[in-house]
């Protein structure tokens, strides 16, 4: 019994260590690496590249996420287990790569545009804690860049009604449209939520003014376009083997009053074509779709590949969250490097948290079944003792029956009597001594009156003897009662055994589980 308990405790400990810690080490240790290290040739040094980690769509859960009451226990639990997954991903899967730059592609909050200032600030503090940004910015030289998403500032129809949400975003994350340079590559970040809005609005006009200013600065430096909303692609366009969900076709919804956009999952075809013609990027990075997709766009000046990244959260519809590693060249094109070769990408996948929790449930059920049905020394002893007691009882019963039959045979004779139900009974005949026979013969000679009296007396004796005594029925009822009590005792004993084993496993592994939770949650 204790061997089984020890074995299950070890299995649970290994499972918890893998699900809560080792699984998040796999990308940085085994399954993913910087692309420039994979394609390194002679004469190329690691310092020739800027290392960029790209993350998108954390969408921190809040009161708008699951229709749960604000500050309720259920919402708090859902938030914690979503947050701890992303924090572990950041600490154990992304930061071990020691990136020079961390790039976020939008949707940091779930209900960002509709949250009050107090709720928004609380979500911001969670966001910075989850991704360890306070420590990263203070202790390293890592640069961090942000891109606005629709869950941060809303769509065009929302901008005209609540313009203060844009000011709130820009006050914390910086401008919506801007340009920065990493290595020998320019990155162009735009507010994709405004490119399809009416141009007479201030938000849309500022975005297009920025794009046209970038187009006027003609340069040979390769460019990467950053947009939260993916560019237009035709319906049912294949997304490549790395996508896990079905393709979502173009959807655009506009307000009835002013025809401003209230939802879109792709930039419109006209806006896409104009962006590509003006910026002429060698690569496009986007998010918003929550799943991976790689497509190639054609425009007047050539082709460009777009990588849509999946969400980093396991609660946003993607069972296999992901992030991307970018190697940006420090070499100029005059060194023989092509525009497309100036930046290379690798998509990295994170643990499937849903499967981990399903395995926890299956292992719990398996533990109960093993404890209930695995034979133990106590089981064998109990079974042997029961067989011994039944054998002793049968032996005593057979000896008693044999003695009774022998005594009855000595006393007289038996005859078979069949009752109305078809059952046969052995009836003992009264013994007749010689004196009794003489008296009966004399009585018969004296007349019928004496004969009738004797007959009545004889009939009364027969009636008393005909009452059956079913010894086997009494024995069977007693046996059933004892068997029922024995089964109840076995059930109670097994339940106590299960409780004892589960308690021991919990006492060993629950502290381990809590230690891993708090180890990952505290600031580092």
């Amino acid at each position: 019994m204790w061997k089984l308990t020890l074995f299950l405790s070890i299995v649970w400990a290994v499972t918890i260590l893998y699900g809560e810690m080792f699984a998040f080490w796999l990308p940085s240790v085994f399954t993913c690496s910087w692309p420039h290290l994979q394609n390194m040739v002679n004469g190329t040094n690691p310092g020739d590249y800027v290392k960029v980690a790209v993350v998108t769509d954390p969408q921190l859960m809040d009161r708008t996420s699951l229709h749960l009451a604000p500050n309720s226990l259920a919402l708090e639990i859902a938030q914690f287990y979503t947050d701890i997954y992303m924090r572990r991903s950041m600490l154990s899967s992304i930061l071990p790569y020691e990136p020079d730059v961390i790039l976020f592609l939008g949707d940091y909050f779930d209900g960002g545009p509709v949250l009050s200032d107090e709720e928004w600030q609380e979500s911001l503090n969670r966001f910075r804690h989850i991704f360890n940004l306070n420590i990263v910015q203070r202790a390293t030289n890592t640069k961090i860049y942000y891109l606005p998403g629709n869950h941060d500032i809303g769509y065009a129809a929302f901008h005209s009604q609540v313009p203060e949400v844009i000011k709130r975003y820009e006050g914390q994350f910086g401008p919506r449209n801007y340009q920065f340079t990493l290595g020998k590559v320019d990155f162009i970040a735009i507010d994709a939520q405004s490119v399809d809005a009416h141009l007479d609005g201030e938000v849309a006009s500022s975005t297009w003014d920025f794009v046209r200013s970038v187009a006027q600065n003609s340069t040979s430096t390769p460019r990467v376009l950053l947009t939260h909303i993916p560019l237009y692609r035709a319906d049912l366009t294949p997304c490549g083997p790395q996508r896990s969900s079905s393709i979502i076709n173009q959807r655009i919804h506009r307000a009835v009053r002013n025809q401003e956009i209230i939802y879109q999952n792709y930039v419109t075809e006209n806006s896409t074509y104009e962006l590509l013609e003006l910026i002429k990027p060698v690569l496009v990075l986007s998010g918003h779709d929550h799943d991976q997709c790689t497509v190639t766009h054609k425009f007047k000046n050539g082709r460009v590949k777009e990588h849509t990244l999946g969400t980093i959260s396991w609660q946003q519809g993607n069972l296999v969250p992901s992030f991307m590693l970018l190697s940006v060249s420090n070499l100029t094109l005059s060194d023989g490097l092509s525009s497309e070769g100036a930046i290379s990408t690798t998509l990295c996948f994170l643990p499937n948290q849903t499967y981990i929790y399903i395995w926890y449930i299956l292992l719990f059920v398996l533990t109960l079944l093993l404890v209930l049905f695995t034979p133990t020394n106590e089981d064998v002893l109990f079974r042997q003792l029961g067989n011994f007691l039944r054998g002793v009882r049968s032996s005593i019963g057979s000896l008693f029956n044999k003695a009774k039959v022998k005594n009855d045979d000595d006393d007289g004779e038996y005859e078979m009597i069949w009752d109305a139900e078809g059952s046969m009974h052995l009836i003992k005949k009264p013994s007749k001594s010689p004196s009794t026979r003489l008296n009966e013969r004399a009585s018969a000679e004296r007349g019928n009156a004496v004969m009738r009296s004797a007959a009545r007396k004889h009939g009364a004796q027969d009636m008393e003897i005909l009452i059956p005594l079913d010894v086997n029925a009494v024995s069977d009822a007693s046996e059933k009662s004892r068997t029922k009590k024995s089964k109840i005792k076995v059930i109670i004993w097994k339940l106590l055994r299960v409780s004892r084993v589960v308690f021991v496993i919990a006492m060993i592994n629950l502290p381990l589980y809590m230690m891993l939770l708090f180890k990952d949650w505290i600031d580092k």
Side-chain angles (χ1 to χ4, degrees), residues 164-183:
E164 56 268 22
V165 298
I166 293 181
K167 295 180 181 179
R168 185 170 65 180
Y169 171 85
E170 290 181 332
Q172 179 61 46
F173 295 101
R176 298 173 295 114
N177 304 288
Y178 63 102
Q179 178 180 355
F180 60 95
T181 301
L182 299 176

Side-chain angles (χ1 to χ4, degrees), residues 292-347:
Q292 299 74 231
C293 185
T294 301
V295 298
T296 300
H297 300 284
K298 298 179 181 179
F299 61 105
K300 184 177 180 179
N301 291 309
R303 296 167 174 261
V304 61
K305 182 176 291 185
E306 178 183 3
H307 289 297
T308 300
L309 276 66
T311 174
I312 194 175
S313 173
W314 71 285
Q315 284 282 10
Q316 296 299 327
N318 191 344
L319 293 178
V320 187
S322 62
F323 64 97
M324 180 170 278
L325 299 178
L326 269 65
S327 295
V328 182
S329 176
N330 273 319
L331 305 175
T332 61
L333 297 182
S334 59
D335 297 328
L337 188 69
S338 64
S339 297
E340 293 77 10
I343 183 167
S344 51
T345 64
T346 297
L347 186 64

Side-chain angles (χ1 to χ4, degrees), residues 397-440:
S398 61
L399 291 175
F400 176 79
N401 290 335
K402 287 181 179 178
K404 183 176 181 180
V405 169
K406 183 177 180 181
N407 292 334
D408 289 343
D409 289 342
D410 292 339
D411 292 341
E413 298 178 351
Y414 289 80
E415 68 175 331
M416 292 185 295
I417 302 297
W418 301 86
D419 61 14
E421 296 178 356
S423 299
M424 187 270 290
H425 302 275
L426 292 175
I427 305 304
K428 180 181 177 183
K429 294 182 179 180
S431 58
K432 296 182 180 180
S433 61
S435 58
T436 305
R437 292 191 185 96
L438 291 175
N439 292 335
E440 289 178 353

Side-chain angles (χ1 to χ4, degrees), residues 185-190 211 214-215 219-227 231 271-285 296-307 339-340 342-343:
V185 178
D186 290 336
F187 287 77
I188 313 300
I190 65 169
V211 172
V214 171
T219 177
S220 60
T221 303
R223 290 172 172 173
V224 176
L225 175 61
L226 305 177
T227 168
L231 301 183
S271 297
T272 295
Y273 184 80
E274 189 170 0
L275 286 171
L276 294 178
E277 285 293 328
L278 292 173
I279 298 177
K280 299 179 179 62
V282 298
L283 179 68
V284 179
L285 297 178
T296 300
H297 300 284
K298 298 179 181 179
F299 61 105
K300 184 177 180 179
N301 291 309
R303 296 167 174 261
V304 61
K305 182 176 291 185
E306 178 183 3
H307 289 297
S339 297
E340 293 77 10
I343 183 167

